[in-house]
Amino acid sequence: MNKQLQCGRFSFELSGPDSLRPIVMGILNVTPDSFSDGGRYQGLEFALGRAEDMIRDGATMIDIGGESTRPGAPSVPVEEELRRVMPALYALKTLDVALSVDTCKPQVMREALIAGADMINDINGFRAPGALEAVLDSDCGLCVMHMQATPETMQQAPQYGDVVGEVIAFLRERVDAMTAAGVERSRICVDPGFGFGKTVEHNYALLHGLRRMRDELDLPVLAGMSRKSMIGAVTGRPLEARMPGSIGAALAAVAHGARIVRVHDVAETVDALKVWHAAMNPGASASAATV
């Protein structure tokens, strides 16, 4: 696997003594209809305060989303997504944290990169016309995700023969297309897309298959399961009570090979990962363990 992940202003070490310490990506939804925290951080002051809290709690990346991708969500116009995302991006640029923008629209990608985004996180795997061209000449990180169908239709009847193998094949094809276009592999990470066109069984098969995905693609894997229905299906908990299950999922993802975890509950996840890291490294001081 690449020893570093290049993300604009930041370069993250993925090997060496700290290789078990994952990158914690905090979720900042500046949308009125996100499945988990829609509307809570729409105001710029609230968004900035939330980002500062996540940084203080240990996040090393913030993922800014201006379009809900919950099951059944319709797409929003480019102008509206820009209106939501750009003020937050400009405000957060002064903070010492890598800034990711969660978008599948090439125009939003271009504007975000001009504003200083360090990563583009694309649920559509950079398949939209113009998406690769929008990011090609930058040094931003690129997260390539798998999704079956679209957010509006993805959970209607997802089907696979071999979900892990098919997701790996899709991601390999996209990575090959990106590198053929001139994108350096050191800029790329992959995301199996938990909940994006998958049943509960598919999601847990993918969770168990993360190490296979990492090894076959030879790229860092991002896992985003925080508060999703796959957590509620196992715990029986409603959305607002899924934090403990989400932390368990993040720990399982890291144990299975994920290098980035995308979460809502940063402080609690960071604390759990510190303990996990100390337990996995008996020679390290628990009091000095950091993520």
Side-chain angles (χ1 to χ4, degrees):
M1 186 179 69
N2 291 334
K3 294 182 178 180
Q4 291 185 324
L5 177 62
Q6 179 62 42
C7 293
R9 300 167 295 162
F10 298 84
S11 182
F12 294 100
E13 288 289 338
L14 302 178
S15 61
D18 289 341
S19 61
L20 290 176
R21 301 185 185 190
I23 297 165
V24 176
M25 173 187 275
I27 299 168
L28 182 63
N29 289 316
V30 287
T31 62
D33 57 349
S34 169
F35 89 98
S36 179
D37 50 14
R40 292 183 62 189
Y41 306 112
Q42 276 188 277
L44 188 56
E45 181 180 349
F46 288 101
L48 182 59
R50 173 60 177 157
E52 290 172 336
D53 287 344
M54 290 192 287
I55 296 166
R56 184 171 55 251
D57 291 338
T60 47
M61 280 191 188
I62 302 293
D63 193 37
I64 306 167
E67 179 178 54
S68 175
T69 54
R70 75 189 191 285
S75 181
V76 302
V78 170
E79 295 75 14
E80 176 62 19
E81 188 174 344
L82 286 169
R83 187 189 66 79
R84 297 173 182 178
V85 169
M86 298 308 293
L89 181 56
Y90 278 115
L92 271 55
K93 189 179 176 181
T94 60
L95 304 179
D96 185 24
V97 66
L99 299 175
S100 169
V101 173
D102 184 354
T103 185
C104 58
K105 297 183 177 69
Q107 185 174 339
V108 177
M109 295 177 191
R110 287 192 293 269
E111 294 295 330
L113 291 173
I114 291 170
D118 299 295
M119 174 177 274
I120 300 296
N121 180 13
D122 185 0
I123 66 169
N124 195 41
F126 299 93
R127 288 181 290 172
L132 275 180
E133 291 78 3
V135 301
L136 183 59
D137 293 330
S138 75
D139 62 354
C140 71
L142 303 171
C143 184
V144 185
M145 199 193 81
H146 173 275
M147 173 174 58
Q148 190 177 87
T150 68
E152 288 186 273
T153 63
M154 63 188 180
Q155 290 304 106
Q156 291 179 3
Q159 294 183 357
Y160 301 86
D162 169 14
V163 66
V164 178
E166 291 175 41
V167 169
I168 290 174
F170 169 86
L171 293 172
R172 180 181 290 114
E173 183 277 326
R174 294 310 306 147
V175 170
D176 287 348
M178 294 167 73
T179 55
V183 175
E184 299 86 353
R185 286 182 66 86
S186 60
R187 295 172 55 195
I188 303 174
C189 64
V190 294
D191 180 350
F194 292 102
F196 285 82
K198 283 94 176 175
T199 64
V200 172
E201 291 75 16
H202 294 147
N203 286 321
Y204 282 97
L206 286 167
L207 177 55
H208 188 264
L210 290 182
R211 191 174 301 277
R212 174 186 167 191
M213 185 175 300
R214 181 201 67 185
D215 292 346
E216 291 193 19
L217 296 174
D218 196 30
L219 288 168
V221 175
L222 181 151
M225 296 171 282
S226 183
R227 303 184 187 175
K228 289 185 177 179
S229 59
M230 64 180 286
I231 308 298
V234 170
T235 63
R237 302 290 186 184
L239 182 62
E240 64 275 10
R242 291 178 187 167
M243 180 179 68
S246 298
I247 293 170
L251 292 175
V254 174
H256 283 301
R259 290 297 293 115
I260 307 170
V261 287
R262 182 178 182 273
V263 303
H264 295 88
D265 304 293
V266 171
E268 295 82 359
T269 304
V270 167
D271 282 356
L273 287 168
K274 285 179 180 178
V275 174
W276 183 85
H277 184 268
M280 296 296 289
N281 295 271
S285 167
S287 62
T290 59
V291 176

